Amino acid sequence: MAESPDIDILARGELFRGVPVEVLRELHAASFRRKFPAGETVFQQEDAVTTFYIVVVGRLRVTQTTLDGQQIIIRYLGPGDVVGYAALTGAPAHPGAVTAVDDCHLIGMPAPMLRDIMSRNSRIAMNAVALMGERYQDLQLRLRELATEKVERRIAHTLLRLSQQAGRRTARGIEIAFPLSRQDLAEMTGTTLHTVSRTLSGWEARGLVDSGRRRVIIAKPEALAEVAEEV
Amino acid sequence: MAESPDIDILARGELFRGVPVEVLRELHAASFRRKFPAGETVFQQEDAVTTFYIVVVGRLRVTQTTLDGQQIIIRYLGPGDVVGYAALTGAPAHPGAVTAVDDCHLIGMPAPMLRDIMSRNSRIAMNAVALMGERYQDLQLRLRELATEKVERRIAHTLLRLSQQAGRRTARGIEIAFPLSRQDLAEMTGTTLHTVSRTLSGWEARGLVDSGRRRVIIAKPEALAEVAEEV
DNA sequence: CGGACTTTTGAAGTAATTCAAGGGGAGTGG
DNA sequence: CCACTCCCCTTGAATTACTTCAAAAGTCCG
């Protein structure tokens, strides 16, 4: 199994699960490692799709920007996640930008090569369909939240979701394990940094969270879940 | 080519494009036609995934409902569209409900059979990935609109999008070719029927639209596009 | 022509944005 | 090591877009 650490990483990711080792070897032969220091951009919105990545370590942020410069955060990516799903679907350009929020290590490979191997290997294609389905459901959920819930509940839901994906147990509670500013939370929940700040201050006073400069710790997850679900 | 009208319809849809005729015949052999009169439900949210459909004629609405009964419209489906993408991804349950808003004809087939054929036929799987990618991008766009735009612009964008999918040229302008109430528009744009009504009344006074009971005609698409894009 | 559903419009209320100003922490450079 | 600077965060006050509440008027169908 452990013929190469990278092959192991690929085999554990959602996309290449259950794929024969010889296919993984073929993929690995064409792949390369690349580091992105915090703040660096992997690709911009509208960039041509040339390369496909899998996250090894670190967090990345997927954003979309409007013509008038307003930005929203579509999602965060972490270890095992696919970066640049457009390489799977065959879209010519990236619909969003991806930026490292941490120092990141990615495994990259040429997009056409992935498409080629996928078309010869239905297991990968089936995995890709399942993966896209999950991401679609995520967005459906967020759309519903944005359409039906008030800001406070949206922020609560968002924090709880982030704590699932990237939570780290600490003495003071569950810490979101990457830098997360008020502005970031605002761009995830469709509000302003001011409102996020006020909301967190309120929770802080009630002891629900413990937050600071680009850092959020959920002190009482159950209580926050109540905020998220209350009518 | 025209060995059966249904095979033709399948071949033209996005999912089975470029698939060998013998595979289409196999699919067709297991398929059946089914009518859903206006208002009837194809499946409910959380229903087990048993059957997969392609729309032949008519329009259907995909909705999601929250625990406290609030509903949002995820999208509308029309001729050629896939109904119940969960059958593609392998999800056990439908994430949303589907209802006919018109009288509809669908071609159905058992979901496990589709998955089986897809796993043996990578072209279908590749098409499915592309299809999910498109739907994902749609939702991304709507999420961005909901997060960054004011209600009037959202309604304008929504109407323009519907006119693309289901617009019919008439003497008075482009008519949305299925019954569409103020409530429906509200559930698509994350607002209330009152606000939609006021907004349409305003546009009506300016001659942009011509609307009535569950009916919307866009009289001046260019002018509406300006409303949608203005800063 | 009755009754259900859809739409309209006014008035009051409110959640959240916008505008504005100041404060604090972390890192940098002298 | 201290001061400077850049971000990021906080908080008040004013404004506003939208919702909520309420009532009435159309419109379609049997």
Side-chain angles (χ1 to χ4, degrees), chain A residues 124-142:
Chain A
I124 300 180
M126 296 289 279
N127 285 349
V129 179
L131 187 153
M132 291 304 299
E134 279 173 33
R135 291 211 182 174
Y136 186 80
Q137 270 198 59
D138 279 2
L139 277 202
Q140 242 179 271
L141 176 64
R142 289 193 45 202

Side-chain angles (χ1 to χ4, degrees), chain B residues 149-152 154 190-192 194-195 198 213:
Chain B
E149 296 179 356
K150 298 232 179 291
V151 168
E152 189 179 29
R154 299 209 299 266
T191 181
T192 62
H194 308 280
T195 301
R198 281 183 241 270
R213 190 189 173 87

Side-chain angles (χ1 to χ4, degrees), chain A residues 150-151 190-192 194-195 198 213:
Chain A
K150 299 231 179 292
V151 168
T191 181
T192 62
H194 308 281
T195 302
R198 279 183 242 271
R213 190 190 175 87

